[in-house]
Amino acid sequence: MRDLSDVSTWKTELGLLPIRLAPDNQNSDYIMLNGGTGDFCYQSRNVNDNEGDIYSRSWSCNTKNYILVGDQNVEVFNWSTKELEVIPGKMISSNMAKFYEYLVSRSFRSSKDVVPFVIDLFKQLRNLTLERTNPVEALNLLFVLLTSLEDDFARLDAKKWGISFSHVPPGFEEYVTRLRNGVGKINPKLDLILRHTSGALFQEAQKEALFFDVQRDLFGGTSGRLETRSALYSSIHYTPPYLSRTIVEQALKQLDLNQGEIKIFDPACGASEFLIEALKQLREANYSGQVKVYGWDSSETAISTSQFLLRYEQRTLWGEDKLQYELRKVDDSLTEDWLEGIDLVLMNPPFVSWELLSDKKSKEAVRESLGASFNGKPNQASAFFVKAIASMREGSGVIGCVIPSSLLNFESYKLVRSRVLDMVSINLIGKLGNFVFEDALTDVSLIIAKRQNEAAHLPHILWTRNEKGVIQPALRDLRKMLFTNEPIVKKLEHNIYKPATFPVIQDSWKPLASRDYDLFKLVERFVVDQRLVRVGQVFNVRQGIRQGAKNVFKLSASDYERIPTAEKRYFRPVVDNSSIKQGQLFKNMYIWYPYNSDGVIFKEEQELRKQAKSFYEAHLEPNRDLLSKRAGLTGGWWTLTRPRNWQYEKKPKLVSTEFGKSDSFGFDQFGSFVVERGNAWIPKKEFNLQDFHFYLALFSSNLFNRLLSIYSKQLAGGKWYDLGKKYTKNIPIPDVNSSVVRESGAYLKLVEIGRELCSGNNYTIVMADDILESYFYPTI
């Protein structure tokens, strides 16, 4: 029977992180952290606390449940329902996972939780003052409101609390009373709120302070409205507490806690979610040395919040001799001289694309930070990452950070990855997907690395399915796995494992699902054995035409039918994102294509006006100025910017969209289509009709989707892939030029599937995988 009175039992069985409710004593009361609705309070000894005090602790910690473990039974208190449930310990011990599911089911979020309760008071307080121009002053009022739980706000010692002077408006006392009364006779406990709820609370408070606007209602009263700003969706992505907690936890595992001093740096600290979490976990690990904390941010509200929280940590727990901190407001961290010899860098850097960088100075800062690694149009986060690595203490410094997933596998960051890998050993890489930040669908990953170059070191790979609700269970399983020293976690929604080599794919850090990792090893071995070849050995994958102007040269199918018959010869059906569906080509759009095997048909404008009078007058002549100014134009102003001369003659070809997946391929048997926003897959050797159908079946299979997920660049959260030459040339495929392939039993079967796809029968594609696995990709 599992010992439920031992907190490590809950830790190893459920993958929860125990943190003492009050770290300055050794009582056995904890908050068991997963990162949201799965959190609960735990106490392993029976005490005489009244229910009200238990409810207050649970509510202040932003949890619903508080469990007391006795000799025989477990008591479960839920402040929301005000119910006490007594469950035999044996029942829980035999199925802890089921019990945890039950707790989660009783832990739904509500407007009565401590965070929305306090934020609602904050909104009303701002309406009272009609303050709308100074967010720092607004946050100061919130700080004063919270401190009133312990001190008289009328005689506030601002230095003690680490806040600047705040004018307290008339009527403030009413809000103090309402805060002290809490919810349903459940009173707030300041220490627990600041220690265990500050991350979620102050992230919400900062958003409210930055984007709040006062609105008058119909009756002359005031109401709160949260205005959105483009900045919020482009760069300001608040780190969820469950993620910052895991990053800190895994980073501290790599740090030597026997050293007498630890320097921690966050160059984009926000409300100091990472810094406070690091202090919390260092305390839990009984670290007795000195901690120096450095936090920079461009937001004054962020620095103000960090000052308030770090001062509280220093005053109540660490003392000025053990904890020193330095906070700086900076315009742009990249333009500053970064600290050196940092033991622990923790950060969620701004995810600002090159196009959205506000000015030339910001772009130059990114360029200088990346130095020789600069390539293309990098995200600002990549520059933070490179500078962070350089600031770490050589031989022992550790970084734990959130990064855009593009940094792991995009070609433009190849130099960055190479440079960094020469300096660090990576301990953990995690692909988290598009559902991390609540305010943006940014594709997110995490990295834990140490400033030492260990060639033989292999990181743990964390892969998650790109869906809502999968990250927190994955992080719990990561914790469990490391607690129990398990070698691998294989679940449908997430995998955790160590690869045999790293990087898995040359020049890429892309985390693969363990199943796809096994497929990768298999097909690469088959390439070495010459059982498979690369796409680039069989096909020239060519990019489609470029018009140089939108909405001038293309006609819908209905508009095409209305032009004179004599002019239709100058148009061809176009391959774009709307023309292919599950192996079939559709003539949805037509494009002006005045070319034949000799090149452009119309050498002179007079001839053009005579032969294509209708299209000339309706579409070309009205856009003459626009068309004449196109960059890269080599022919007459009425021609396409890049017509791609390989399309002049009509030849059979496989085609695909520019971005897509296995249902984005088709066969242009007569070569009548012009590829625009897409790719043409042109054989390097002579193909017969059956060969085209063979590859159409292969490229339309679910197996090929898996190969794309391994080798290509993912877009839109992994739902689509780049189907261009750069990202498909290395995919291993059978070679129909080989007699072994042509004479195999699979050849004609796949040919028949390809034919059926062309005719619109896509149900046959389900058989393709079985055929491919039986003949060309066995034991995947």
Side-chain angles (χ1 to χ4, degrees):
M1 178 178 170
R2 297 180 179 91
D3 183 5
L4 299 181
S5 64
D6 185 351
V7 70
S8 65
T9 301
W10 300 83
K11 181 177 175 180
T12 55
E13 291 294 327
L14 299 178
L16 302 171
L17 179 66
I19 297 290
R20 293 183 189 276
L21 286 182
D24 56 347
N25 64 53
Q26 297 302 308
N27 291 341
S28 53
D29 47 348
Y30 294 86
I31 179 170
M32 306 299 292
L33 294 166
N34 172 37
T37 55
D39 299 347
F40 61 91
C41 294
Y42 161 94
Q43 203 164 317
S44 65
R45 56 185 176 81
N46 206 350
V47 294
N48 294 320
D49 292 337
N50 60 56
E51 286 190 16
D53 192 55
I54 289 174
Y55 291 150
S56 290
R57 277 187 269 171
S58 181
W59 182 76
S60 299
C61 291
N62 204 28
T63 66
K64 282 291 192 305
N65 297 299
Y66 198 113
I67 71 171
L68 293 177
V69 178
D71 295 334
Q72 302 295 327
N73 298 319
V74 173
E75 294 177 307
V76 181
F77 295 82
N78 186 297
W79 68 259
S80 180
T81 61
K82 298 291 179 65
E83 293 177 354
L84 167 61
E85 202 168 356
V86 180
I87 305 174
K90 289 183 178 180
M91 184 183 298
I92 295 174
S93 179
S94 62
N95 199 337
M96 292 186 70
K98 193 73 174 177
F99 175 68
Y100 183 67
E101 289 177 11
Y102 174 67
L103 286 182
V104 171
S105 72
R106 291 163 49 93
S107 301
F108 54 88
R109 291 299 185 211
S110 75
S111 60
K112 294 182 179 180
D113 292 347
V114 62
V115 172
F117 172 78
V118 174
I119 293 298
D120 186 57
L121 286 177
F122 181 41
K123 289 180 181 180
Q124 295 178 47
L125 183 60
R126 294 196 66 186
N127 277 321
L128 176 70
T129 62
L130 297 182
E131 177 277 314
R132 58 187 300 175
T133 59
N134 191 338
V136 176
E137 185 65 17
L139 279 173
N140 275 333
L141 285 177
L142 177 59
F143 301 152
V144 173
L145 182 64
L146 291 170
T147 62
S148 69
L149 292 173
E150 287 192 4
D151 287 353
D152 183 352
F153 71 88
R155 291 186 290 274
L156 178 71
D157 184 345
K159 183 178 180 181
K160 168 186 172 182
W161 291 99
I163 60 179
S164 57
F165 175 78
S166 176
H167 170 69
V168 178
F172 186 76
E173 189 168 358
E174 175 189 346
Y175 293 90
V176 171
T177 301
R178 290 167 61 183
L179 176 63
R180 288 177 176 174
N181 288 340
V183 171
K185 299 182 179 179
I186 298 175
N187 305 121
K189 294 183 177 296
L190 180 63
D191 185 69
L192 297 180
I193 291 174
L194 295 184
R195 207 166 296 289
H196 302 297
T197 310
S198 62
L201 175 61
F202 286 111
Q203 286 184 4
E204 288 299 315
Q206 279 203 85
K207 283 191 281 187
E208 176 64 25
L210 289 170
F211 305 116
F212 178 85
D213 190 17
V214 173
Q215 298 292 310
R216 292 282 178 182
D217 62 25
L218 282 173
F219 306 101
T222 54
S223 60
R225 179 167 68 91
L226 193 64
E227 275 198 351
T228 58
R229 299 283 190 274
S230 60
L232 180 63
Y233 292 95
S234 64
S235 62
I236 304 174
H237 304 315
Y238 294 109
T239 315
Y242 68 82
L243 183 54
S244 58
R245 179 175 305 125
T246 298
I247 288 175
V248 169
E249 180 185 4
Q250 299 306 320
L252 288 179
K253 288 179 183 295
Q254 310 303 321
L255 198 64
D256 179 12
L257 298 185
N258 292 316
Q259 57 188 311
E261 178 184 276
I262 294 176
K263 293 181 180 179
I264 307 173
F265 178 40
D266 186 343
C269 65
S272 286
E273 175 73 14
F274 279 114
L275 300 176
I276 296 298
E277 185 64 40
L279 292 173
K280 188 188 302 182
Q281 293 193 33
L282 282 171
R283 189 71 179 189
E284 193 65 31
N286 295 317
Y287 178 70
S288 58
Q290 187 180 61
V291 182
K292 293 183 178 179
V293 169
Y294 305 90
W296 296 354
D297 203 278
S298 60
S299 164
E300 191 174 353
T301 60
I303 296 300
S304 179
T305 304
S306 297
Q307 168 71 23
F308 177 66
L309 293 173
L310 287 169
R311 174 59 182 149
Y312 185 79
E313 285 285 316
Q314 184 187 61
R315 179 173 61 82
T316 62
L317 196 60
W318 289 84
E320 295 186 6
D321 59 328
K322 291 293 187 180
L323 173 61
Q324 298 174 15
Y325 62 88
E326 180 184 306
L327 299 169
R328 286 178 56 190
K329 181 185 178 300
V330 297
D331 291 332
D332 181 349
S333 292
L334 293 180
T335 63
E336 302 291 325
D337 292 329
W338 281 34
L339 305 166
E340 296 180 353
I342 297 298
D343 298 292
L344 181 60
V345 179
L346 300 165
M347 66 174 184
N348 173 9
F351 285 33
V352 185
S353 68
W354 181 261
E355 291 79 7
L356 290 179
L357 286 172
S358 58
D359 52 40
K360 184 178 179 181
K361 183 179 179 182
S362 298
K363 290 184 176 180
E364 190 57 34
V366 171
R367 188 186 300 274
E368 289 185 5
S369 299
L370 291 175
S373 305
F374 183 89
N375 184 32
K377 298 179 178 180
N379 191 295
Q380 192 179 31
S382 64
F384 271 79
F385 184 59
V386 168
K387 290 199 77 166
I389 298 295
S391 74
M392 292 157 54
R393 186 185 300 277
E394 290 192 31
S396 62
V398 176
I399 184 171
C401 67
V402 181
I403 58 167
S405 295
S406 57
L407 200 150
L408 300 183
N409 68 313
F410 276 25
E411 184 77 10
S412 56
Y413 298 116
K414 179 180 175 180
L415 294 174
V416 170
R417 292 191 293 271
S418 176
R419 174 180 173 183
V420 167
L421 206 55
D422 286 339
M423 301 169 69
V424 304
S425 60
I426 298 176
N427 302 98
L428 173 66
I429 286 188
K431 172 192 170 297
L432 306 179
N434 294 83
F435 300 98
V436 174
F437 302 135
E438 66 177 37
D439 49 24
L441 286 176
T442 306
D443 195 358
V444 176
S445 291
L446 67 84
I447 285 186
I448 310 294
K450 193 168 187 177
R451 183 70 188 272
Q452 58 186 19
N453 188 6
E454 294 182 2
H457 184 84
L458 297 173
H460 277 98
I461 301 294
L462 168 65
W463 171 89
T464 62
R465 188 181 293 276
N466 195 35
E467 296 174 355
K468 283 186 177 180
V470 304
I471 301 174
Q472 293 185 35
L475 297 181
R476 279 206 299 127
D477 274 349
L478 171 66
R479 192 174 288 123
K480 260 174 77 173
M481 177 183 180
L482 298 178
F483 285 163
T484 58
N485 205 28
E486 296 175 20
I488 189 169
V489 172
K490 274 191 178 183
K491 292 188 177 179
L492 183 63
E493 296 83 8
H494 59 269
N495 305 152
I496 312 169
Y497 63 95
K498 275 196 174 187
T501 59
F502 186 82
V504 174
I505 303 172
Q506 186 178 10
D507 299 326
S508 173
W509 295 355
K510 183 178 182 178
L512 301 177
S514 60
R515 179 168 172 257
D516 290 337
Y517 173 62
D518 292 339
L519 173 59
F520 171 77
K521 291 189 295 181
L522 174 78
V523 296
E524 287 297 316
R525 188 174 77 242
F526 285 175
V527 170
V528 173
D529 295 341
Q530 299 184 349
R531 295 170 63 176
L532 297 173
V533 297
R534 308 283 186 189
V535 161
Q537 295 174 255
V538 180
F539 291 97
N540 277 317
V541 181
R542 295 182 178 272
Q543 192 179 59
I545 65 170
R546 292 296 180 261
Q547 303 175 59
K550 295 180 70 174
N551 304 321
V552 175
F553 297 116
K554 289 173 75 172
L555 298 176
S556 67
S558 58
D559 288 340
Y560 170 78
E561 290 301 322
R562 285 194 287 267
I563 64 173
T565 302
E567 294 186 26
K568 289 181 179 178
R569 69 180 120 167
Y570 306 123
F571 289 83
R572 284 165 65 177
V574 66
V575 174
D576 59 17
N577 289 328
S578 66
S579 60
I580 303 176
K581 186 176 181 181
Q582 295 182 321
Q584 258 191 306
L585 280 174
F586 297 90
K587 297 179 179 179
N588 295 330
M589 301 290 291
Y590 288 77
I591 194 162
W592 168 253
Y593 200 75
Y595 302 89
N596 57 24
S597 58
D598 296 322
V600 66
I601 295 172
F602 304 114
K603 309 295 185 184
E604 303 293 337
E605 185 176 346
Q606 183 178 359
E607 183 184 5
L608 165 69
R609 190 165 52 240
K610 178 181 178 182
Q611 299 296 328
K613 183 174 183 294
S614 173
F615 187 70
Y616 176 86
E617 292 179 350
H619 294 272
L620 297 179
E621 174 59 25
N623 293 288
R624 177 193 289 267
D625 289 344
L626 170 66
L627 297 176
S628 299
K629 295 175 182 177
R630 288 173 293 162
L633 189 64
T634 56
W637 62 267
W638 55 87
T639 62
L640 304 175
T641 302
R642 295 193 180 100
R644 311 300 189 195
N645 57 12
W646 52 266
Q647 300 204 79
Y648 290 169
E649 291 189 55
K650 296 181 179 180
K651 294 181 179 180
K653 58 183 177 292
L654 288 173
V655 295
S656 74
T657 56
E658 189 173 18
F659 308 111
K661 49 184 180 177
S662 61
D663 62 358
S664 303
F665 289 83
F667 176 35
D668 179 15
Q669 181 173 345
F670 303 104
S672 59
F673 282 77
V674 168
V675 178
E676 185 210 5
R677 284 294 173 184
N679 301 287
W681 297 58
I682 300 173
K684 289 189 170 182
K685 294 183 180 180
E686 193 68 29
F687 266 20
N688 61 39
L689 190 60
Q690 290 183 326
D691 295 339
F692 283 108
H693 284 132
F694 173 89
Y695 281 114
L696 178 61
L698 168 61
F699 294 158
S700 300
S701 68
N702 289 323
L703 173 63
F704 196 72
N705 247 357
R706 291 180 59 194
L707 292 171
L708 286 170
S709 74
I710 295 169
Y711 289 90
S712 185
K713 179 174 74 173
Q714 291 179 309
L715 301 107
K719 294 181 179 179
W720 294 280
Y721 305 95
D722 190 320
L723 301 180
K725 175 181 177 179
K726 181 188 292 186
Y727 293 101
T728 59
K729 64 183 179 181
N730 290 323
I731 297 178
I733 59 173
D735 183 5
V736 294
N737 299 302
S738 162
S739 59
V740 174
V741 173
R742 285 187 187 276
E743 294 169 8
S744 70
Y747 179 77
L748 290 178
K749 293 178 182 178
L750 290 171
V751 167
E752 186 58 32
I753 290 174
R755 283 201 191 102
E756 291 294 316
L757 287 171
C758 287
S759 66
N761 181 9
N762 55 63
Y763 295 104
T764 58
I765 197 61
V766 297
M767 298 183 290
D769 282 346
D770 289 339
I771 297 168
L772 289 166
E773 292 171 20
S774 298
Y775 288 89
F776 304 119
Y777 302 89
T779 66
I780 57 177

